[in-house]
Amino acid sequence: MESRIVTPGPYRATKLWNEVTKYFRAGMPVKKHRQHFKSYGNCFTATDAVDWLHELLRNNSNFGPEVTRQQTLQLLRKFLKNHVIEDLKGRWGTENLEDDNHLFRFPTNSPLKTVPRHPLWRRSSSENISKDKDSIFKLPHFPRRTPKKCDLPSAKENLQEELTASNKETLHYRELREEEVEEIWRNIVLIHLQKILGISSLEDVLDPTQINPHSVMYNMNNTSKHGVVILQNKSDDLPHWVLSAMKCLANWPRSNDLSQPTYIGFERDVFRTIADYFLNLPEPLVTFQYYELFVNILGLLQPHLEKVAIEALQLCCLLLPPPNRRKLQLLMRMIARISQNVDMPRLHDVIGTRSLMVQTFSRCVLCCAEEVDLDELLATRLVSFLMDHHQEILQVPVYLQIAVQNHIDYLKKVPITHPVIAVSAMLPTYSFCKQISAQEFEEQKQSTSQAAMEELLENIVKDKTLSLKEKKKKLKQFQKEYPDIYQRRFPTTESEAKLFADRPTIKQPMLTLKKPKFHSLRY
């Protein structure tokens, strides 16, 4: 059955689960079987199911030939747990499944997992990545009208001419703040990753706040001559005994760190020591927060997209905390050397060396915080690809450093005539925004509104153009609408009465005029 490639996007693991479920239900052969002197129709044995599903997964472009029979058996057990299949008595969930001749069947309806309609996070509209991915100067936080790369030289020349002609003062050059440099790193990484993945938006697979510019810059700038991260804080590094064990197996049998083994099976004990350390780490090396991102990268692991997958993984591995990246680099170097070492004795009686490396370390490289049905298969595929291409994937991408440095140099060279004036006043196409929490927004809203009302009250009090009657009317209306603010301004009745103390409360007596007497016209 021809497989369909599940392209990168939100909830790719769930979509893969639904695809495998539909293929298995549609293609698994069912027939009549006899058991305990009874005949059952439309069913299959567990062994037949393992054989058929194993072949399906190995030939499926989303998983590949690295899938083992044991992993297929684990997936069938999850099928039983999720009621994709059931035993002859209709039992599922708590039942177990072994690679034997027990009979199973399909329920009337095979449930598919619902793909959530809304992503796990939403970014504000100001953080949407520009659709023009060809220009490194279009950053997510910038307005849409940003000059294209080809327009920048002429724009810079025109700006320089206008400044020279309009003002002959000494020009000052902008010094970028640390926060601005970090934002440039974050935005450049987002743009290149979106371009590599070929998707319209990254908001469904990566939250921009998950990108730590400090980690990216550290992983780029603090490396050995072999490209391995050098940690300043040695407490975050691998323990010395683990490093010695890894060097011993990586350089077998020419290791100088340890004396030659004096008993048979020494190399197996060393391998188990290394495996125990990595399997007991609190979280996988690619961390839980990047699970969705790396799962989507797995969709690019096709023969014609191999180069694209390498570039995408190269960027994604830069996002990892430096201690995690260093451990991943050393682990991949070790297992790649062990797999290719013809002098290495067998480390397992049944499983080959390469398969043993993949099965042992896949879960400590990639897994979800909550159990996901295809975790093991997806992790196996990722580790296999990392083993084959670790030198390219875990090296520092020079083009990223150049892109960031070019952008920083451009911003620094934009001249301004007054140091106190922000560059954004001259180049309104660039702006840097800092997101605040909802609580901070509410607090700022309250404080701003309070200040505005207090200013309004003070204007009413000091307005000399208002008549006494009008002023009293406005103050009474303000007191009714905002009693708290009014109370703070006039805490006592005396303070309120003092406001009108300089005005006369009694009208000056008018001049009394004697009424003229009118004589009657009657006689």
Side-chain angles (χ1 to χ4, degrees), residues 408-469:
I408 291 176
D409 291 343
Y410 166 72
L411 291 180
K412 283 184 176 181
K413 292 179 181 178
V414 175
I416 56 177
T417 56
H418 302 284
V420 296
I421 301 178
V423 175
S424 57
M426 300 173 55
L427 298 175
T429 54
Y430 294 87
S431 62
F432 295 87
C433 304
K434 181 179 180 181
Q435 187 175 5
I436 63 174
S437 64
Q439 181 180 357
E440 290 176 319
F441 174 77
E442 291 297 329
E443 292 175 355
Q444 291 182 14
K445 183 174 70 173
Q446 291 292 336
S447 61
T448 304
S449 301
Q450 293 282 334
M453 290 300 102
E454 291 173 358
E455 183 180 358
L456 174 62
L457 177 59
E458 202 63 32
N459 290 337
I460 297 175
V461 170
K462 296 180 179 180
D463 192 349
K464 296 181 178 180
T465 61
L466 293 176
S467 64
L468 181 63
K469 183 177 180 180

Side-chain angles (χ1 to χ4, degrees), residues 146-267:
T146 306
K148 295 182 179 179
K149 187 176 181 180
C150 59
D151 297 337
L152 287 176
S154 59
K156 290 169 61 178
E157 292 174 3
N158 294 336
L159 178 62
Q160 185 70 30
E161 292 175 0
E162 291 177 5
L163 288 173
T164 304
S166 61
N167 200 324
K168 297 183 180 180
E169 298 179 6
T170 303
L171 297 179
H172 299 272
Y173 290 89
R174 182 184 185 195
E175 290 296 331
L176 297 182
R177 300 190 304 274
E178 182 181 355
E179 295 81 2
E180 294 175 318
V181 175
E182 293 175 0
E183 192 66 14
I184 291 173
W185 273 98
R186 177 185 287 111
N187 293 328
I188 294 290
V189 170
L190 284 171
I191 288 175
H192 280 279
L193 186 57
Q194 178 184 338
K195 181 178 179 181
I196 291 171
L197 294 179
I199 55 180
S200 59
S201 174
L202 288 174
E203 65 178 4
D204 293 329
V205 296
L206 179 65
D207 187 350
T209 59
Q210 291 180 322
I211 297 181
N212 186 347
H214 289 287
S215 296
V216 178
M217 291 187 288
Y218 192 98
N219 291 332
M220 293 279 293
N221 300 322
N222 296 273
T223 60
S224 66
K225 62 180 181 179
H226 300 294
V228 179
V229 174
I230 300 175
L231 300 178
Q232 301 297 331
N233 187 359
K234 299 302 180 182
S235 62
D236 295 331
D237 202 354
L238 290 165
H240 177 71
W241 55 271
V242 176
L243 281 172
S244 298
M246 295 176 70
K247 290 180 181 178
C248 175
L249 291 187
N251 300 318
W252 187 273
R254 299 178 301 278
S255 175
N256 295 322
D257 283 310
L258 298 175
S259 59
Q260 292 299 320
T262 57
Y263 62 91
I264 298 176
F266 172 82
E267 66 283 348

